[in-house]
Amino acid sequence: MSRVTSTEEVGRLLKALDENKSLVHFRKMQEENTELIKEIEELRVANRSNDKKLFRLVDEVEENKKQAKDTAEKLNAVVKQKNDLATKHSDAARQLREATDELVSLRKEVHKLRGFTIELKPTPPTLAQTLDLLFKETRAFAETYFGTEFPEEVLGETDKWGGVRDHEYIKGYMLPIPFSNTLAARQMRVAAVLAILAAEFDAFFFRPTPIVDRSGFSHFLSDLADRDPEREAYIRSAILAALTEDQYETSKKRRVESATERLFKLFSPLFPLDEGLESALRKLCERIYAGWHQIQRLKLKVEAHFHFHVDESDDWLPLSFEKPYLSSPAPKGNPKQQQQNGSGNTGKPRGKNAPETVDPTTDLSGLVIWPSFISASDPPEDAPPLAKGYVLRETQLQAARDEEKALRISGGRRDMRASVRRQRTMSVGGSAEAMTPDGSAPAFPSSSPFLAARAGGGLKAS
């Protein structure tokens, strides 16, 4: 019985031992489970943190995707812009080539057109002196040849004075020219010749070289200069460039010769023995031509102005004389002999203090002897002339008119006395010497300046 009890005890002990083992194992498992739970919790916490990181990464990825998209769009825009710029650059390059080609063509055309014109020059400060020199040289000629005493036989032959007396400019003014050698007569001769020379120079020289007459085109240029001076200057430069150098020289010679021939025809009957007249006229024409040749190449259009207006009297000067013998008794002989003998024409000015035959304060007559020169290129209305013109004084004209009247009266008395003498001769018996071949009474001697004045009639005094 005790043996059984021991066995049971051992069984219980074994059972208890097993139970202790299980308990230990259970506890161990419990501890391990606790550790696992803790690890799981830690893992959960770590997982939640990773989830947050993941979400942030996802957000970043989305943001990056958005930025990448924007960048791609911007890049596409840049690429498109670059392509557009490349296209525009190509178009600009093409247009530049075309413009360059056109510019080259235009330059060739401009160069070609410039060859059709001359370059007009700016107005020099010496223009007034140049214009005044034209007058002084012309006056010197007129005074040298017409300011001294003429032989009685020349004064008496009225036909020889036709070139001067019947010139359209003189007839239009009815300028008195007494056929004598008084101071008034000599001054009027000089004035008349100055006026004739001015009119002829205007026709031959005071216009663009290729325009040789008082044509409508010359008036057109004058009007155009007033309305559009730039256009007028261009047209005038083209006209002046129309002649080659050879043609220009030919034109110059032809115009100078034509003017010389015209003036020589007018004046030569009064100087039958003077071989230097034609040469003097040619030299004068050459100087006038040369002076105007420079003036017409200015951008400013210069024109001779022959119209006197009372309200523009400040633009005119009274005609004065340079030679001493035109303000004192005239020397005898022709001007060429006087120059050789050293008398008469000394070529020296009278000076400011020389005595005046005519009162310088007398009103101007309005008879233009030498033109003023004005700017036709759109000048202001009150602009002064480039060079003043010259007119006769009333006292100068009146002295000549009074002398013409006296000569006509004196000539009439001489006619009456000659008629009485002829009647007496015929009543005595009619001498053959007193009759002409056709039986008529002999003509009056044409050498008398008084009869010549009466026969020629002179110019009517206004």
Side-chain angles (χ1 to χ4, degrees):
M1 184 155 176
S2 63
R3 187 176 175 143
V4 172
T5 303
S6 299
T7 304
E8 292 177 355
E9 185 69 25
V10 172
R12 286 195 301 269
L13 288 172
L14 291 171
K15 184 179 180 180
L17 181 62
D18 292 335
E19 289 178 356
N20 285 337
K21 288 182 181 180
S22 297
L23 180 62
V24 171
H25 179 72
F26 175 76
R27 287 178 179 176
K28 185 178 179 180
M29 289 181 61
Q30 191 176 19
E31 289 175 0
E32 291 177 355
N33 188 44
T34 301
E35 288 295 328
L36 289 173
I37 291 172
K38 184 178 180 181
E39 289 180 4
I40 290 172
E41 188 64 27
E42 290 176 355
L43 290 172
R44 286 179 178 175
V45 171
N47 189 42
R48 283 195 297 268
S49 176
N50 290 333
D51 287 343
K52 290 180 180 180
K53 290 181 179 179
L54 180 61
F55 290 147
R56 283 198 303 272
L57 290 174
V58 171
D59 292 339
E60 289 178 2
V61 169
E62 292 296 327
E63 183 66 23
N64 290 336
K65 286 182 178 181
K66 182 178 180 182
Q67 291 179 357
K69 183 179 179 181
D70 293 341
T71 302
E73 290 177 353
K74 291 180 181 180
L75 182 60
N76 291 334
V78 170
V79 171
K80 183 177 183 300
Q81 185 177 11
K82 180 181 178 181
N83 293 335
D84 292 343
L85 289 175
T87 302
K88 290 180 179 179
H89 180 270
S90 178
D91 293 341
R94 177 181 52 78
Q95 292 175 0
L96 179 60
R97 288 193 300 272
E98 293 175 353
T100 302
D101 294 341
E102 185 177 1
L103 180 60
V104 171
S105 177
L106 287 175
R107 282 178 176 173
K108 291 181 180 179
E109 189 67 21
V110 168
H111 181 73
K112 179 180 177 181
L113 291 176
R114 282 180 177 174
F116 297 154
T117 64
I118 63 169
E119 182 179 359
L120 299 181
K121 300 178 180 179
T123 304
T126 57
L127 176 59
Q129 292 89 324
T130 301
L131 291 168
D132 189 51
L133 184 61
L134 299 182
F135 165 73
K136 288 181 178 179
E137 291 185 343
T138 306
R139 181 180 62 181
F141 170 86
E143 290 182 350
T144 298
Y145 276 87
F146 290 86
T148 56
E149 288 192 351
F150 274 68
E152 290 295 327
E153 59 270 19
V154 175
L155 292 172
E157 296 183 25
T158 58
D159 290 343
K160 292 184 176 182
W161 290 89
V164 175
R165 182 191 60 199
D166 296 333
H167 191 276
E168 59 181 6
Y169 198 77
I170 302 304
K171 291 180 72 174
Y173 271 161
M174 296 187 293
L175 187 69
I177 308 177
F179 295 104
S180 71
N181 283 316
T182 64
L183 178 63
R186 287 182 282 114
Q187 288 181 344
M188 285 303 104
R189 286 202 293 267
V190 171
V193 170
L194 261 175
I196 291 172
L197 289 170
E200 296 299 326
F201 290 163
D202 183 55
F204 282 99
F205 303 126
F206 296 160
R207 60 195 68 247
T209 297
I211 303 177
V212 296
D213 58 4
R214 297 183 180 90
S215 65
F217 189 71
S218 180
H219 296 304
F220 165 76
L221 286 180
S222 298
D223 294 338
L224 185 61
D226 185 54
R227 293 183 286 104
D228 191 345
E230 292 291 334
R231 190 183 299 271
E232 184 279 332
Y234 180 82
I235 294 176
R236 180 158 45 91
S237 69
I239 292 173
L240 294 174
L243 300 180
T244 64
E245 284 297 323
D246 292 340
Q247 289 173 329
Y248 166 77
E249 288 298 325
T250 301
S251 176
K252 172 185 175 181
K253 291 179 182 178
R254 182 170 62 247
R255 186 172 295 198
V256 168
E257 287 302 318
S258 296
T260 301
E261 180 181 353
R262 162 76 172 162
L263 294 171
F264 184 73
K265 183 178 181 180
L266 295 176
F267 300 149
S268 59
L270 302 173
F271 302 93
L273 302 179
D274 194 325
E275 298 178 356
L277 175 64
E278 186 173 12
S279 175
L281 283 170
R282 182 176 290 104
K283 289 180 180 179
L284 176 62
C285 289
E286 287 175 346
R287 288 195 292 269
I288 298 298
Y289 185 98
W292 195 259
H293 176 67
Q294 300 302 321
I295 293 171
Q296 71 178 346
R297 290 173 175 259
L298 300 178
K299 188 173 183 180
L300 178 75
K301 189 175 193 306
V302 181
E303 288 189 348
H305 183 63
F306 286 83
H307 303 290
F308 176 89
H309 297 285
V310 176
D311 57 350
E312 297 176 352
S313 58
D314 291 341
D315 296 347
W316 302 87
L317 295 171
L319 179 64
S320 60
F321 301 94
E322 188 75 6
K323 306 301 182 186
Y325 49 74
L326 285 170
S327 59
S328 60
K332 300 290 184 179
N334 64 54
K336 188 173 182 181
Q337 291 174 339
Q338 293 159 14
Q339 292 174 353
Q340 294 173 346
N341 297 333
S343 62
N345 178 17
T346 62
K348 297 180 180 179
R350 289 182 300 164
K352 294 182 179 179
N353 299 323
E356 284 276 0
T357 305
V358 182
D359 181 5
T361 63
T362 304
D363 290 340
L364 303 180
S365 67
L367 298 186
V368 176
I369 301 303
W370 184 263
S372 64
F373 290 92
I374 63 173
S375 166
S377 302
D378 193 23
E381 291 185 1
D382 57 347
L386 302 172
K388 293 186 177 184
Y390 291 86
V391 298
L392 282 172
R393 298 188 180 104
E394 282 290 349
T395 49
Q396 291 172 318
L397 281 171
Q398 193 57 49
R401 289 167 181 160
D402 291 344
E403 182 176 346
E404 269 199 341
K405 183 177 179 181
L407 288 174
R408 284 196 295 270
I409 294 174
S410 175
R413 291 174 180 172
R414 289 173 181 265
D415 287 349
M416 292 178 63
R417 289 196 293 270
S419 177
V420 171
R421 286 197 296 271
R422 287 197 304 273
Q423 291 176 3
R424 288 177 180 175
T425 301
M426 293 175 67
S427 65
V428 171
S431 170
E433 294 179 356
M435 304 296 291
T436 59
D438 61 359
S440 61
F444 297 124
S446 60
S447 60
S448 169
F450 308 108
L451 297 182
R454 184 175 184 273
L459 293 177
K460 297 180 180 179
S462 58

